[in-house]
Amino acid sequence: MSTLRKQLQQLSSYDQDTGLPNHEALLGDINAEIAKASPQPLGATLIEIRIRGLSRIGEAYGRKTIGSVIRQLAERLERAPVKNRIIGRIDHKSFGIFLYDISDPVLALQTAKQLVALCSRPVPWGDLMLNIEAIAGVALTTGTVQDAATLLHHAGLALRASSESGSPGYAFFDPAEAQAAKRRNDLIAIVAKAVEKNQFEMVYQPFFAFNSGKLMGFEALMRLKHPEFGNIGPNEFIPIAEETGLISRLGAWCIEDVCRTAVEWPSHLVASVNFSPAQFYTGTLLAEVNAALKHTQFPAYRLDIEITEGTFLKDQELVLSQLNALRGMGCSIALDDFGTGYSSLSYLWQFPFSKLKIDRSFIHALDTTPKAPSILKSIIELSRNLGIEVTAEGIETIEQMVTLRNLNCDYLQGFLCGKPTAKTNLAAIILKNFSETLGQGNDALSKIRVIR
Ligand code: C2E
Ligand code: MG
Ligand code: MG
C-alpha cells in the first residue's frame, strides 16, 4: 500500500475532533479483540457514554465550543484509571469504551458509574465552567453475542433505558428489553398495515345501574386480531398508533363504527368511547366526531367520551377547549381510570365531567387493603358533592359488587356482569336484561349476573 493511501486510511479511521478511533474503527478494533480470543468466547464489556447538554452549549457559545468540550472529555476518558480498554467516538455525542477483560457485571457497572461521574463534571471554557451530563449504557458479550455491531446495538438499547429511567444515569442491557424493542418494531409495521387493511374491530362491554340492575349502555373497546401475531391488545397498539401518528385515522374509524353500531340499540342506551390523549393534538378530533354523528344520525347525547387524566398533561387550554366543544355538541365526558397515573383532584373542578370511572386497581384493592373501602367511599362522596356520577370498573366478584353498592356507587362494569363481546351478541344481552329487570323485586342486582 502506498504511503499516501496508508495515511488516507489512517485519517479516515480517526475522529477529527479527538484523534480517537471513529465509529467504524472502534467496531473493527473490538472485532479484532474478539478474533484474538477465538475460538474461546471473549468475556468483555462495552460502555457507551452519551453526553447531554451539547446542543444547549452550541446554541449559547457556538459550535466550536462543542468541539472543545468533546476534546476535553476524550482526554478525561483516556486518563481514567481503567486498564485494558479501547476508547472510540461512536457519534457526535457518544463515546464507546470497550473493556476487553471485564466480564463481571458488578465490575462493569462500577466502571460505568466511574466514567459517568468523570464525564459529568463541568468543563472549563475560557472563564466559564460549562455544565454537562453523561449517561451510560452497558452491554456484556455472551457466548452467542461475539460481534461488535450487536454489542453496540445492545449498549444503545441500555442507553435508552438509562435515559428513560432518569437516574442513576447508567443501565445494563437487558435481553427482555431487546425483545420488547423488537416486538415494538414489528408492531409498528403491523399497526400501519392493519390501519390500511381495516383489521380492527370494536367489542362492547355492558355497564349497569346499581340501584335498578338496568343495562345503561356499552363501552366500546378496540381489538386487533392479527392473522399471524394473534390478538394484540389496545394497551399495546394504541401507544404505537399514537407515536406513529396513525391514531387520528384509527380514532376517526372507531367513532364512526361505534355510532353506526349504537344507533341500532334502544334509545335509552349509551355508547362510551375511549379517546386517547394524542387525539386531542391532531387538530381533527372535533370534525371527526361531528362527521360520525352526522353520517350515522347517532344522537350526541347518547355518546359518552372517556378520557384519562394524562390527556391534560401537555396543553390544558387546548384540551379544555375541545372538551367544551364536545359538550357543546351534546356529548358527555367521563374521566376514566380515576386514581391511577397523575391523579390530581384539580382536573375535577377544571372541567364539568359527567362521570368518573374508578380504576379497577382500586376495586381489586378491596381484596387486599383494609383502607380500600374508606378511599372508595371518599371518592364516591366527593363525586356526589360535585354532581358527578361514578362507575366502578373491573368488578369481578360478588363481594366487590356488594361493597360498591353499599358505598352508593352509581354504575358497575366488570367481568362479573359482562365481558367485552362482539356486536353480534349485544341484542341478546339487551333483551335478557330487559326481561330480567321487568317487574323486578328488590333483588335486581342478583339478576345482572345472569348476563355473563
Ligand atoms: P379502559 O377504557 O379503562 O377499559 C377497561 C379495560 O379493562 C378493558 O381492557 C376491559 O377489557 C378491561 N376490563 C373490564 N372489566 C374487567 C374486569 O372485570 N377485570 C379485568 N381484569 N379487566 C377488565 P382493554 O379492552 O384491554 O382496554 C385497555 C385500555 O385500552 C382501555 O382501558 C382504554 O384505555 C384503551 N382502549 C381500548 N379501546 C380503545 C379505543 O378504541 N381507543 C382508545 N383511544 N383507547 C382504547
Ligand atoms: Mg374506558
Ligand atoms: Mg378504565
Side-chain angles (χ1 to χ4, degrees):
M1 199 186 283
S2 74
T3 330
L4 182 65
R5 225 160 139 201
K6 227 181 199 163
Q7 277 173 341
L8 276 177
Q9 196 181 35
Q10 228 171 11
L11 258 180
S12 67
S13 300
Y14 288 93
D15 170 51
Q16 305 291 302
D17 287 331
T18 59
L20 292 174
N22 63 16
H23 184 122
E24 284 308 309
L26 177 67
L27 290 188
D29 290 351
I30 294 174
N31 279 332
E33 287 300 324
I34 290 171
K36 255 195 240 166
S38 175
Q40 292 302 314
L42 179 69
T45 300
L46 177 65
I47 301 174
E48 179 172 348
I49 302 263
R50 177 163 300 164
I51 311 300
R52 287 164 149 186
L54 290 174
S55 17
R56 185 174 29 82
I57 289 174
E59 278 159 23
Y61 306 108
R63 290 196 57 78
K64 259 192 171 167
T65 327
I66 297 182
S68 160
V69 170
I70 286 291
R71 236 181 333 275
Q72 294 189 57
L73 292 176
E75 282 163 16
R76 280 186 201 174
L77 286 172
E78 284 192 299
R79 283 200 306 267
V82 177
K83 281 191 215 139
N84 301 334
R85 83 291 187 269
I86 299 169
I87 304 175
R89 184 144 181 216
I90 292 174
D91 58 34
H92 62 289
K93 49 185 173 183
S94 291
F95 295 99
I97 297 96
F98 184 62
L99 307 163
Y100 49 82
D101 63 1
I102 291 191
S103 56
D104 171 23
V106 177
L107 218 55
L109 218 49
Q110 272 172 4
T111 313
K113 202 172 157 184
Q114 196 185 347
L115 297 177
V116 162
L118 197 67
C119 292
S120 293
R121 283 194 213 134
V123 179
W125 188 70
D127 297 338
L128 297 169
M129 290 301 274
L130 304 174
N131 284 324
I132 45 159
E133 189 199 2
I135 56 168
V138 185
L140 295 177
T141 55
T142 65
T144 50
V145 176
Q146 288 284 318
D147 70 281
T150 311
L151 203 55
L152 188 61
H153 176 60
H154 288 177
L157 289 173
L159 196 65
R160 206 170 81 186
S162 134
S163 106
E164 279 164 8
S165 75
S167 62
Y170 46 89
F172 243 113
F173 165 69
D174 174 357
E177 207 148 290
Q179 224 177 2
K182 187 183 173 307
R183 167 116 179 137
R184 240 181 60 82
N185 240 353
D186 291 345
L187 277 177
I188 288 175
I190 289 170
V191 171
K193 248 204 193 122
V195 171
E196 212 51 62
K197 290 175 142 184
N198 243 330
Q199 285 173 327
F200 293 91
E201 188 198 323
M202 300 309 296
V203 292
Y204 294 84
Q205 184 178 33
F207 60 94
F208 301 86
F210 262 112
N211 63 4
S212 62
K214 265 197 186 134
L215 174 68
M216 303 304 289
F218 294 92
E219 176 174 2
L221 296 159
M222 204 182 283
R223 297 287 177 263
L224 171 52
K225 285 184 185 141
H226 193 266
E228 271 172 64
F229 283 73
N231 294 341
I232 302 167
N235 284 332
E236 225 179 349
F237 66 72
I238 295 282
I240 302 256
E242 289 179 340
E243 279 168 39
T244 51
L246 291 164
I247 192 69
S248 171
R249 271 178 74 184
L250 203 54
W253 168 81
C254 161
I255 185 85
E256 180 128 3
D257 196 65
V258 172
C259 290
R260 188 157 285 126
T261 301
V263 79
E264 306 289 334
W265 304 340
S267 61
H268 66 285
L269 295 179
V270 163
S272 300
V273 182
N274 294 281
F275 278 8
S276 91
Q279 286 177 269
F280 286 85
Y281 297 93
T282 58
T284 53
L285 184 66
L286 295 176
E288 285 157 11
V289 176
N290 236 329
L293 293 171
K294 208 163 154 201
H295 293 159
T296 60
Q297 296 291 299
F298 186 63
Y301 73 89
R302 290 175 56 200
L303 186 64
D304 218 349
I305 291 164
E306 297 190 3
I307 60 163
T308 53
E309 288 159 296
T311 312
F312 292 102
L313 274 189
K314 258 179 34 197
D315 184 342
Q316 290 208 10
E317 296 275 303
L318 183 71
V319 170
L320 284 173
S321 71
Q322 290 172 84
L323 289 179
N324 279 315
L326 290 166
R327 255 176 76 94
M329 284 181 204
C331 307
S332 307
I333 314 289
L335 188 57
D336 201 358
D337 299 348
F338 185 76
T340 57
Y342 325 90
S343 263
S344 155
L345 294 180
S346 70
Y347 301 126
L348 287 182
W349 56 260
Q350 293 213 16
F351 183 77
F353 290 102
S354 51
K355 200 193 269 178
L356 183 151
K357 299 186 77 175
I358 305 178
D359 189 69
R360 68 168 188 265
S361 54
F362 278 73
I363 311 304
H364 292 186
L366 281 173
D367 307 339
T368 52
T369 318
K371 283 183 188 157
S374 319
I375 293 174
L376 287 166
K377 185 165 180 256
S378 308
I379 297 177
I380 294 168
E381 274 172 8
L382 173 72
S383 308
R384 182 119 311 130
N385 291 338
L386 292 168
I388 303 173
E389 297 186 304
V390 185
T391 300
E393 291 193 282
I395 294 200
E396 291 182 354
T397 66
I398 295 174
E399 292 73 22
Q400 291 166 352
M401 179 173 77
V402 169
T403 307
L404 266 305
R405 179 180 54 179
N406 293 341
L407 290 173
N408 278 329
C409 189
D410 298 293
Y411 306 112
L412 77 153
Q413 186 178 351
F415 290 173
L416 178 70
C417 37
K419 288 192 168 170
T421 183
K423 65 179 173 195
T424 46
N425 300 325
L426 303 186
I429 294 178
I430 294 168
L431 270 177
K432 201 162 186 181
N433 181 260
F434 183 65
S435 63
E436 278 166 0
T437 51
L438 252 193
Q440 59 184 283
N442 288 333
D443 202 16
L445 269 184
S446 64
K447 288 167 186 155
I448 293 173
R449 289 196 305 116
V450 184
I451 286 162
R452 268 194 288 175

